[in-house]
Amino acid sequence: MRNKGGERKTIPGLTPLIVGLALCLGPYPLFASIPEIDSLKAVADSCFDVGSYQCAHKHYLELLDVEARELGAGHLDAAVTHEKLGTVFETTGEYQKALDHYIEALRIRQKAFGSGHQSLAEAYKKVAALYFELGEYRLALENYAKALSIDEKALGSTHSSVAWDNNLVGCVYLELGDYQSALKSLNQALGIMGDENPNKASVYNNLGMTYKTFDEPEKAQESFAKALEIYENILGILPPSRTDISILLYTFMGHVYFELDEYQAAVANYLKALALQTTALGINHPKVAALHRNMGNVYSCQGNHRESFESYKKALGIWLNSLGPDNPSVGETYSRMGKEALALGNREQALDYLKKSIEIFERSRGKIESEELRASYTETVSQRYESIITLLVEMGKPEEAFQYLERSKSKALKDAWDEKYDVELGHGAIEGKITESKALGTKVDALENQLNTEQQKPDSLRDDARVQNLSRLLAETKAEYFKIATQIQADPDYAFAVRVNPTDIGVLRDDLPSGQKLLMAYSGSDKLYLFLVSLEGYEVKTVEIPSDTLDIVVSLCRTLCGPQYVRELHMKGKLFGWSWDDDGSKFYSEEVSALKDVLSRLYDYLIEPFEEELDRAEVVTFIPSGQLYYIPWGALLDTDNGDLVFVSQRYNWNILTSTELLQCILRREEEAKAKASSVLLVGNPEGAHLPFAEDEVASIKKFYPNSTVLTGDRATEPMLVETTPRNQMLHLATHCFLEAESPWESYILLAKTDTTDGRWTAEEISGQSWQRMQLVTLSACETALGSNRPGLEFESMAKAFSLAMEGPPSIVATLWPVADESTKEFMVTFYEELKDNPKSEALRRAQQKLISSQKYAHPFFWAPFILIGEWR
């Protein structure tokens, strides 16, 4: 089989809540007192304290110069200054710059004290926290582990700091999806902490989240209950003056009861927190709004939609006045109010709120939301759009519903790009602009959070000078961001990097080639929605099948067509010579009939509602979403008239990941070259173990004698990058691993070199420039089926290739690991047919040849091949 490999389990959207009620870390002592140095320190510290970060940055840099001159390079005072500079950059969201300064401070301390000194532990933790923020969890784990080792040696294995270190390590393991290691570290933390240590509640909370994430609800409930018990004990001994702690604990108890579905207890604790919070901060404070939102969440789960709506309305009013109309909390509250209005039967009001929510959501970036907001609102991108798509269909507005579905794809792709800090897109000037925009966007997010935090303080603690300085710096940074974003948006291929790129459905329809029909399929919670777009207009139909049920059918289809099941058929001697005829045998009733049934059911769901319209099309373009990306569209089976007719026998078809990709194709129509005459043929790179792949590329070369062949240890990334621009097609007969959770890390396996790891990632592909390229064929690929963001790996890989291909992008990919020998037969036929036929027709003919063959008639051999993009 091509593409053997394990599936990596990830934890999407998980941010462990770490509450340290008694964790205080003081500054390191300074070792020198020189008037000029002391003066610069005082000025820089004052600038930082009032939020004047540019001023602080300037004076800390001056301080470094003076310290180097007066104290010598590498003095310990310089380590402190580097840490303060790191704090400035961390505060403004410039995490890589912050990391550089923290690492330099660590280096100075290592040189002064040696590698095992206790003061290095906190320095390692600073570095680890930045890596964690950057999503570099392995590096975060490495540095937390070093801090833990130092603290154990310096303080003893039973010290409270060692316990907390284990808690931090456990949280990183949780993000990495390493269940056993997370449990081990968290239980070690619990074993060290005494019963009176309030941080023990935080560890129990993290332990509960671990159990909950890995589907052990009873153990999760037990851990949450222990955390709750500790909080209740703390409430009994805290002095009345510490209302901030009381508010925190009542709020957290409300969260725990909400997690346990004990709604009355949750409301009771939220109300206690609300009474204290209102007394301390007044009725119009953002923290008061958060408690109203929490109660709205509980009322909604109870089905009390009127009370829920009113609670959200109170929260919205406070947040609009205090945080402004673009704050994520405002957008999230609009979304919740829209759903409650819909539950109350107010569709127009619901639509208005949902639209406002989407507008704010689309302007936000991946890291803009607070920890609290991310913890309270865990919907996926698709779920955020589902309510408005469903509502628009029900209100008879299919064009708008179609547009919001496309916007959801654009947003998902943008967020996936935002999540990874080190992705570099584009070439030359556009690459620099995109890099700059990302840095500015992150800085905007951090400054907004800083400003919101300051504004939410009580009047007696709020620093008005700090608010003023932060507001000014935020306005300046936003102006820079929007200026550079406007320049990027002028290039349609890269607009997704700075904004959601909505499709103008009217323009799209008018630009469609005659005879082409688009069929977009979207699986909502309760119904399947089918959108048909052509020159004649738009139409939407619904099929009464919930998404959970449809997902089961899709999964069953892939199981019956997939490699593991097919291997069992082969062992029974029933795979080769596969027949669809009912011969009355037990094998037919148990095996053949089951596969026939699932393929025909999918045909009835997805094709039959628009069958007559599609029959009149010259080319049918399927635009899937979610789990529907994994359907073998060509194998869907019409059995209505007694005959068996597959989609690949009935229609000329292709797949698009989005209408944005279609717009890319139509924009580049005039750039399409003449018939391709050369192929870069990459087969069986060293380590792939695909012997037939070498025969495959050799056979294809016979049809295209001008082609170049790279196999074995020559099939490397440097050789491929060097050779590709000279060819018009790229054929990759190797493994391809597609990951929805980390889409830009999806990769094609190549031979390793001294400078490359053999993984040619989507990020690296997107940075290429292929002026002559017309087609890329991934002769085998594996997908992250069942992920939290299904289909995103296809969208991202298609985007990567569309950015690299300066002509209309065309990609042939597979839906599951394919057999080496049959793939050779398929690909040889495909390239032979491609010499005289459009791409979609060549693919269809290759499929038809295997359908009618004695040896490879089973869909496993021919159905996984799909054409994404340009079909002509």
Side-chain angles (χ1 to χ4, degrees):
M1 295 293 171
R2 298 194 180 186
N3 260 7
K4 290 192 295 184
E7 181 178 331
R8 192 184 76 174
K9 184 168 185 179
T10 59
I11 309 175
L14 180 62
T15 306
L17 179 63
I18 304 171
V19 182
L21 300 179
L23 189 65
C24 297
L25 302 174
Y28 292 109
L30 303 182
F31 299 91
S33 180
I34 296 174
E36 185 179 4
I37 290 177
D38 292 344
S39 176
L40 279 171
K41 286 175 184 173
V43 172
D45 289 346
S46 296
C47 289
F48 181 83
D49 290 340
V50 298
S52 184
Y53 299 125
Q54 290 171 324
C55 170
H57 177 222
K58 174 187 173 184
H59 286 95
Y60 282 137
L61 285 178
E62 291 177 4
L63 180 57
L64 277 179
D65 290 339
V66 175
E67 286 170 341
R69 185 184 70 234
E70 297 293 332
L71 305 174
H75 191 275
L76 283 172
D77 274 17
V80 176
T81 306
H82 276 294
E83 285 169 346
K84 289 184 175 181
L85 270 167
T87 305
V88 170
F89 286 122
E90 184 177 359
T91 303
T92 57
E94 297 173 87
Y95 300 121
Q96 189 57 56
K97 292 180 181 178
L99 183 61
D100 292 341
H101 283 287
Y102 286 153
I103 289 175
E104 180 60 21
L106 176 61
R107 187 193 65 78
I108 293 171
R109 293 186 184 282
Q110 285 174 324
K111 188 174 181 179
F113 296 123
S115 60
H117 193 271
Q118 205 274 324
S119 69
L120 268 64
E122 296 307 326
Y124 275 122
K125 290 175 195 176
K126 287 179 180 289
V127 171
L130 259 295
Y131 278 128
F132 190 92
E133 186 66 32
L134 288 166
E136 298 285 356
Y137 300 123
R138 291 291 177 192
L139 291 172
L141 181 62
E142 179 183 321
N143 282 275
Y144 276 136
K146 289 178 180 177
L148 172 61
S149 176
I150 290 171
D151 279 341
E152 281 181 327
K153 291 177 182 176
L155 305 173
S157 60
T158 60
H159 195 275
S160 59
S161 291
V162 173
W164 191 254
D165 291 346
N166 275 294
N167 182 50
L168 295 173
V169 168
C171 290
V172 181
Y173 276 127
L174 193 51
E175 284 288 348
L176 287 168
D178 188 339
Y179 172 55
Q180 294 299 333
S181 296
L183 287 181
K184 180 180 178 182
S185 294
L186 293 171
N187 281 316
Q188 283 178 335
L190 288 175
I192 296 170
M193 289 179 175
D195 291 337
E196 302 302 319
N197 190 332
N199 286 337
K200 198 167 188 176
S202 301
V203 183
Y204 273 123
N205 177 69
N206 290 331
L207 195 60
M209 291 177 70
T210 304
Y211 286 130
K212 182 171 180 248
T213 301
F214 290 93
D215 298 323
E216 296 196 55
E218 292 182 358
K219 291 183 179 180
Q221 183 172 351
E222 181 182 345
S223 296
F224 284 134
K226 288 180 180 177
L228 185 60
E229 181 182 354
I230 294 171
Y231 288 141
E232 288 174 337
N233 290 336
I234 294 173
L235 280 174
I237 61 174
L238 286 171
S241 61
R242 295 303 308 275
T243 57
D244 55 337
I245 297 295
S246 300
I247 292 166
L248 171 67
L249 296 177
Y250 277 127
T251 301
F252 195 80
M253 284 193 292
H255 292 342
V256 173
Y257 278 124
F258 185 61
E259 286 281 342
L260 299 174
D261 297 334
E262 298 182 29
Y263 299 131
Q264 289 183 330
V267 169
N269 280 280
Y270 286 144
L271 286 172
K272 290 177 183 178
L274 181 63
L276 292 170
Q277 196 75 276
T278 303
T279 301
L281 303 176
I283 61 173
N284 294 316
H285 195 275
K287 290 186 177 180
V288 173
L291 287 165
H292 283 302
R293 179 199 59 207
N294 293 338
M295 289 191 293
N297 296 345
V298 179
Y299 291 134
S300 179
C301 288
Q302 289 179 311
N304 188 349
H305 301 296
R306 175 58 59 190
E307 198 67 41
S308 176
F309 183 87
E310 292 302 320
S311 294
Y312 291 145
K313 187 175 180 181
K314 290 176 184 176
L316 178 68
I318 296 171
W319 273 323
L320 279 172
N321 289 329
S322 58
L323 303 181
D326 291 333
N327 189 273
S329 293
V330 172
E332 178 244 1
T333 308
Y334 275 133
S335 175
R336 292 175 182 259
M337 290 178 70
K339 291 173 185 177
E340 297 308 304
L342 191 58
L344 293 167
N346 301 323
R347 296 205 301 183
E348 291 291 346
Q349 185 183 46
L351 183 60
D352 180 55
Y353 285 132
L354 291 173
K355 284 185 175 181
K356 289 178 178 177
S357 170
I358 291 296
E359 288 171 5
I360 296 171
F361 178 55
E362 288 180 347
R363 288 195 294 269
S364 71
R365 287 165 294 277
K367 292 194 173 282
I368 195 171
E369 296 177 0
S370 67
E371 297 293 328
E372 180 184 5
L373 188 56
R374 283 203 294 270
S376 70
Y377 200 68
T378 57
E379 288 183 315
T380 63
V381 171
S382 176
Q383 290 168 334
R384 290 219 185 185
Y385 284 86
E386 181 174 343
S387 296
I388 196 168
I389 292 169
T390 302
L391 180 57
L392 286 166
V393 171
E394 292 175 351
M395 294 176 71
K397 300 181 178 182
E399 300 95 334
E400 282 192 78
F402 187 99
Q403 186 175 60
Y404 275 99
L405 179 51
E406 278 297 291
R407 287 165 70 164
S408 73
K409 293 187 173 196
S410 180
K411 175 62 174 172
L413 189 62
K414 180 181 181 300
D415 282 359
W417 184 77
D418 282 341
E419 287 169 11
K420 189 153 178 61
Y421 281 76
D422 56 350
V423 174
E424 296 181 2
L425 296 179
H427 317 276
I430 192 71
E431 179 183 8
K433 289 176 182 177
I434 290 173
T435 302
E436 185 179 354
S437 75
K438 193 155 195 176
L440 288 169
T442 305
K443 188 174 181 179
V444 166
D445 298 343
L447 289 172
E448 284 179 338
N449 286 334
Q450 289 291 316
L451 180 58
N452 291 340
T453 299
E454 192 65 36
Q455 288 174 328
Q456 290 182 35
K457 291 180 180 178
D459 293 343
S460 59
L461 298 178
R462 189 184 307 116
D463 189 327
D464 291 335
R466 183 177 175 83
V467 170
Q468 184 177 359
N469 285 324
L470 283 169
S471 299
R472 175 184 51 77
L473 182 56
L474 176 60
E476 292 173 356
T477 308
K478 275 187 173 181
E480 290 181 64
Y481 174 80
F482 288 123
K483 179 181 178 181
I484 199 78
T486 300
Q487 296 171 1
I488 295 169
Q489 286 171 212
D491 188 326
D493 288 333
Y494 295 97
F496 83 99
V498 290
R499 68 171 173 86
V500 172
N501 195 22
T503 301
D504 187 324
I505 303 300
V507 172
L508 173 69
R509 191 198 69 182
D510 293 341
D511 288 344
L512 279 179
S514 177
Q516 184 178 23
K517 294 184 185 294
L518 308 182
L519 181 63
M520 176 180 280
Y522 169 71
S523 182
S525 297
D526 301 316
K527 298 177 183 178
L528 172 67
Y529 297 94
L530 300 174
F531 299 86
L532 187 70
V533 182
S534 66
L535 282 171
E536 290 75 36
Y538 320 92
E539 192 175 354
V540 62
K541 293 184 180 181
T542 58
V543 180
E544 298 294 329
I545 178 170
S547 60
D548 290 346
T549 304
L550 185 58
D551 286 351
I552 291 172
V553 178
V554 173
S555 180
L556 177 60
C557 172
R558 288 179 58 85
T559 297
L560 295 178
C561 291
Q564 184 173 345
Y565 193 81
V566 165
R567 195 175 293 114
E568 295 175 10
L569 291 178
H570 181 46
M571 292 175 65
K572 296 176 182 178
K574 297 291 188 179
L575 177 59
F576 299 113
W578 176 267
S579 173
W580 297 99
D581 295 333
D582 184 355
D583 58 4
S585 67
K586 182 180 179 182
F587 178 78
Y588 176 85
S589 62
E590 292 183 352
E591 307 290 353
V592 179
S593 180
L595 179 54
K596 186 186 295 185
D597 176 67
V598 75
L599 294 174
S600 62
R601 285 176 67 187
L602 288 171
Y603 183 94
D604 291 342
Y605 296 148
L606 294 160
I607 306 297
E608 194 275 335
F610 282 116
E611 188 178 69
E612 292 184 11
E613 293 86 346
L614 298 179
D615 283 344
R616 297 192 294 270
E618 295 176 16
V619 60
V620 176
T621 296
F622 300 116
I623 309 179
S625 62
Q627 298 286 6
L628 301 178
Y629 273 105
Y630 307 116
I631 288 176
W633 290 86
L636 303 193
L637 185 59
D638 179 12
T639 60
D640 287 348
N641 298 319
D643 296 326
L644 303 184
V645 182
F646 294 105
V647 162
S648 283
Q649 294 173 311
R650 187 167 194 162
Y651 302 121
N652 186 7
W653 64 277
N654 72 310
I655 284 177
L656 291 177
T657 53
S658 66
T659 54
E660 189 274 336
L661 184 60
L662 177 60
Q663 289 176 311
C664 170
I665 291 168
L666 297 177
R667 277 197 309 271
R668 300 175 182 178
E669 234 173 348
E670 295 181 1
E671 300 172 32
K673 309 295 189 297
K675 275 289 178 183
S677 61
S678 63
V679 191
L680 173 56
L681 296 159
V682 180
N684 193 25
E686 191 174 64
H689 307 298
L690 298 170
F692 279 95
E694 295 193 43
D695 295 338
E696 179 180 313
V697 296
S699 298
I700 294 171
K701 191 177 191 305
K702 295 176 184 177
F703 302 114
Y704 301 88
N706 295 330
S707 301
T708 303
V709 176
L710 298 177
T711 59
D713 60 3
R714 296 186 68 246
T716 65
E717 182 180 335
M719 285 291 290
L720 191 151
V721 170
E722 177 187 346
T723 313
T724 298
R726 301 198 295 270
N727 292 274
Q728 295 157 302
M729 293 186 287
L730 172 61
H731 181 85
L732 296 157
T734 180
H735 304 300
C736 175
F737 298 85
L738 304 182
E739 285 199 64
E741 300 306 337
S742 303
W744 295 98
E745 294 176 0
S746 298
Y747 68 91
I748 292 162
L749 183 68
L750 298 171
K752 295 180 181 179
T753 69
D754 292 339
T755 57
T756 61
D757 60 3
R759 296 186 173 195
W760 195 34
T761 65
E763 173 193 346
E764 292 166 335
I765 291 166
S766 68
Q768 301 302 312
S769 180
W770 306 328
Q771 294 181 345
R772 306 177 66 214
M773 189 61 59
Q774 297 183 35
L775 173 69
V776 174
T777 299
L778 308 178
S779 192
C781 60
E782 179 67 275
T783 65
L785 180 65
S787 70
N788 195 48
R789 302 190 290 189
L792 190 58
E793 68 274 37
F794 280 113
E795 295 178 34
S796 299
M797 188 60 84
K799 186 65 179 179
F801 279 114
S802 73
L803 291 173
M805 299 168 71
E806 298 183 15
S810 293
I811 306 155
V812 171
T814 58
L815 296 171
W816 53 72
V818 291
D820 203 17
E821 186 175 357
S822 61
T823 298
K824 172 202 166 184
E825 297 294 323
F826 181 92
M827 287 299 170
V828 170
T829 302
F830 169 67
Y831 279 96
E832 182 180 10
E833 293 289 347
L834 192 59
K835 291 181 72 68
D836 301 309
N837 292 288
K839 301 178 185 75
S840 59
E841 182 64 19
L843 189 81
R844 187 162 78 111
R845 291 191 181 198
Q847 288 187 325
Q848 289 175 340
K849 183 174 180 180
L850 267 63
I851 290 171
S852 60
S853 71
Q854 266 198 321
K855 191 173 183 180
Y856 299 128
H858 191 284
F860 164 74
F861 296 110
W862 55 268
F865 298 99
I866 58 174
L867 172 66
I868 301 173
E870 172 65 82
W871 60 98
R872 290 166 291 195

